[in-house]
Amino acid sequence: MAGGAATGAAPLSTTRRKALAGASGWKGLLENRKVFLIAIFASLGGLYGVFSSVLGMYNFKETMGDAVTNSGKKGWLVAILELGAWVGVLMTGYFADKLSRKYTILLAVIVFCIGVIVQTTAKGPPNIFGGRFVTGLGVGSLSMAVPLYNAELAPPEVRGTRHHVRDYDSFWIDYGTNYIGGTGETQSEAAWRIPLALQLVPALILGAGILFMPFSPRWLVNQGREEEALQVLSRMRNLPADHELVQIEFLEIKAQYLFEKETSETKFPQYQDPSFSSQFKLGFHSYLSLIIDRKLLWRVAVASLTMFFQQWTGVNAILYYAPSIFESLGLTGNTISLLATGVVGIAMFLATIPAVIWIDQVGRKPVLVSGAFLMAGCHFIVAILTSLYHDSWTSHSSAGWAACAFVWLFAVGFGYSWGPCAWIIVAEIFPLSIRGKGMSIGSSSNWVVGQVTPSMLEHIGYGTFVFFGIFSFLGGCFIWFLVPETKGVSLEEMEELFGNNADLAVEDLNRLEAIHKRLGLIVDGIDAKADEESGKASHEEEKIERA
């Protein structure tokens, strides 16, 4: 049997794990190099951002006609990917639990590549619409499966540090290919087909490489493959399998799994056989429990509203329609607007570096709240400048560049905060047995903005920035007042953080305690003694620092 109290070592406890845990931030990454490298690799997916600049290319406009020039149709041309992503996210919960997080990523890559091929070979709007919907299925699935996979591989002290490698270099690909054949009537079809095709490169690398990556240890425990889970934890932590820290983390995972399993057996004894019908009904009731169970509904609300506010900061409006936005701010010429759009990508990429360093030291809430208020301020300033000079940018070029600078500052604010951190929150707050399903519902609210943005820019102008500014501010308030801090909390300790223990039935409390004792995670007096020793150590450290 893998792990357990019968290892002959000292009693194991959650408090002891915290005392043994490594550093966070950069130091934590160095101590967990394998986890970090796998997270970076798994975050490869595709250069999703290429389409924003392709929209403004002369030959693409000529080929697609009013699908690009009509603001309503242009909105749907962008939003069809988000619609596909929404469907993809909802489907991924089932596949992540059934196939594994690892093979779900592979399946999403295959779907993504099919969609990209259809887009690249497109002869007209129907091909682009269809290709982008299929691509969206893959994008949505990856957007949920990858954070879930990364979160379940990482120890609590560096779980937030594994930021997402995004498509910030895609703008520069568009900027280069924009010159193929010229930027006007002579422009070649290759100018937009090449960047669309290049989306395949990172996707294929991910698809091939994921086959050599480990399974999630939490998924393995869920499948009864305990020895394999223990070996994965051992390799990821670079510690022997019988090391105290590895044993504690393994037992925490197993305790949570056993609690969910025994609770399921108690609530739904009629659906425990392995038949398809019973498993389908059990899965249905798992989804249903997310809505009818008040404790779980709160987690769904936190996940869904976090992703909702992430999108309504206006980030996709900036990414998809940046060339149009910069032209509306007074930058003339497609090449200049593409160049300004590239700066957005650089700003977002560089801003992720502080997130890597501090997210597990500062915490999720300060990062998200500060980022939301910074983005809100940028939106309001751009709105003011646009309202004053929207019909006279040519004679007020400095005001136009100032507005662009605040768009870039917005990109910085998003890059260090809501870009990586919103996904971290969604990936870490759900119990093991419903984590995939919970993430699928929470993440689905992330794909809702693209269709309305062109019409907003056309009809309400600077009001678009006021609108997104208000939602950015509301998002910061939501995190500040309603979302608990999850820094350094193990995925199995989220039960207590979200207040579930206060509402659990007595039998559930007894069941959880019995499981912990059975596994050796709780021994009378051990946690209290560890807390006392930890307090003494902290007091001594404070005395040394003051001296």
Side-chain angles (χ1 to χ4, degrees), residues 199-263:
Q199 294 177 102
L200 292 170
V201 176
L204 290 174
I205 293 174
L206 172 60
I210 198 66
L211 295 173
F212 301 96
M213 299 295 105
F215 289 100
S216 158
R218 288 166 174 81
W219 180 82
L220 289 170
V221 168
N222 218 10
Q223 303 302 308
R225 296 158 63 176
E226 295 183 6
E227 288 292 346
E228 192 175 346
L230 188 62
Q231 292 304 315
V232 170
L233 285 173
S234 174
R235 291 196 300 272
M236 292 300 99
R237 308 298 177 257
N238 202 27
L239 294 169
D242 59 355
H243 190 277
E244 190 175 6
L245 182 60
V246 174
Q247 287 287 316
I248 292 173
E249 187 172 356
F250 170 78
L251 291 178
E252 285 181 329
I253 295 170
K254 185 175 179 181
Q256 179 65 23
Y257 162 69
L258 288 175
F259 174 73
E260 300 291 345
K261 180 176 182 291
E262 292 179 14
T263 300

Side-chain angles (χ1 to χ4, degrees), residues 51 55 60 64 66-87 119 125-134 136 320-321 447-456 458:
F51 198 72
L55 281 171
F60 186 78
M64 300 303 160
D66 67 349
V68 177
T69 57
N70 180 281
S71 62
K73 292 182 179 180
K74 181 180 180 181
W76 279 111
L77 193 63
V78 169
I80 194 70
L81 182 139
E82 297 182 345
L83 178 61
W86 180 73
V87 175
Q119 288 184 74
N127 306 115
I128 291 290
F129 276 105
R132 281 183 60 75
F133 178 80
V134 175
Y320 282 130
Y321 303 108
W447 307 99
V448 292
V449 179
Q451 199 277 330
V452 300
T453 305
S455 296
M456 291 173 67
E458 181 178 339

Side-chain angles (χ1 to χ4, degrees), residues 65-181:
D66 67 349
V68 177
T69 57
N70 180 281
S71 62
K73 292 182 179 180
K74 181 180 180 181
W76 279 111
L77 193 63
V78 169
I80 194 70
L81 182 139
E82 297 182 345
L83 178 61
W86 180 73
V87 175
V89 165
L90 291 177
M91 294 171 58
T92 300
Y94 170 79
F95 290 112
D97 290 338
K98 191 71 175 178
L99 300 180
S100 79
R101 286 55 162 143
K102 172 179 170 176
Y103 289 141
T104 298
I105 292 174
L106 176 61
L107 178 61
V109 166
I110 294 172
V111 173
F112 175 85
C113 290
I114 292 172
V116 168
I117 291 171
V118 173
Q119 288 184 74
T120 304
T121 59
K123 299 298 183 181
N127 306 115
I128 291 290
F129 276 105
R132 281 183 60 75
F133 178 80
V134 175
T135 300
L137 293 173
V139 170
S141 184
L142 287 170
S143 74
M144 184 217 131
V146 169
L148 175 63
Y149 179 72
N150 285 344
E152 292 186 347
L153 278 179
E157 62 269 18
V158 296
R159 197 170 58 238
T161 305
R162 309 146 299 93
H163 66 294
H164 301 279
V165 178
R166 294 176 63 91
D167 47 309
Y168 302 131
D169 54 350
S170 60
F171 300 106
W172 297 100
I173 294 174
D174 290 337
Y175 180 71
T177 61
N178 183 53
Y179 287 97
I180 298 177

Side-chain angles (χ1 to χ4, degrees), residues 13 36 63 70 166 168 188 192 240-243 246 309 383 397 399 415 457 459 462 465 475 478 505:
S13 71
F36 180 60
T63 304
N70 180 281
R166 294 176 63 91
Y168 302 131
S188 170
W192 59 270
D242 59 355
H243 190 277
V246 174
F309 282 118
S397 59
L457 289 170
H459 295 107
Y462 69 86
F465 296 101
F478 167 72

